[in-house]
Amino acid sequence: MAQKNQTQRLVSHTFVRRAPDAKKVRLAGTFNGWDPESTPMRKQGNGLWTVTLDLAPGRYEYKFVIDGVWRREEACEESDRGCAHCVPNAFGSMNCVFNVS
């Protein structure tokens, strides 16, 4: 069987979280197997933390892990302006959803 040589298109997206007093912020989601250590965010001088990921088109759920604590926001949009909407998860909190098209 012939193998197709296709390059998948990736879209860069910057995730932003306000946490001025945090010592460590991580991003966990369906794009990294929900691993709370694999995607560290970088602290900016204005109290914001950022990380830019190259993602293939699709739907992704994610949460922020701040100083080792998974954030339990009731309204994701209030804490993350990049959050398209929220969905409930199996742990009684909400996951942010981001769509790449």
Side-chain angles (χ1 to χ4, degrees):
M1 179 192 311
Q3 198 173 16
K4 291 182 181 180
N5 185 8
Q6 293 180 335
T7 303
Q8 185 159 9
R9 180 180 63 89
L10 299 177
V11 177
S12 289
H13 178 73
T14 301
F15 293 85
V16 179
R17 174 69 162 125
R18 183 164 192 58
D21 299 325
K23 296 192 181 355
K24 179 172 78 168
V25 178
R26 303 285 194 252
L27 181 65
T30 53
F31 44 78
N32 67 6
W34 292 100
D35 182 348
E37 294 297 322
S38 71
T39 309
M41 299 182 75
R42 186 171 296 168
K43 188 173 188 177
Q44 307 302 313
N46 55 5
L48 297 178
W49 293 73
T50 64
V51 66
T52 301
L53 300 179
D54 293 330
L55 300 169
R59 179 182 179 277
Y60 299 94
E61 293 185 26
Y62 65 96
K63 292 182 79 73
F64 296 99
V65 182
I66 300 175
D67 293 334
V69 178
W70 292 77
R71 300 305 303 195
R72 293 182 50 102
E73 284 86 13
E74 294 301 319
C76 297
E77 297 89 348
E78 292 176 12
S79 64
D80 176 15
R81 289 168 279 188
C83 182
H85 67 279
C86 299
V87 294
N89 62 33
F91 302 101
S93 64
M94 304 294 278
N95 293 339
C96 290
V97 176
F98 177 73
N99 293 301
V100 175
S101 53

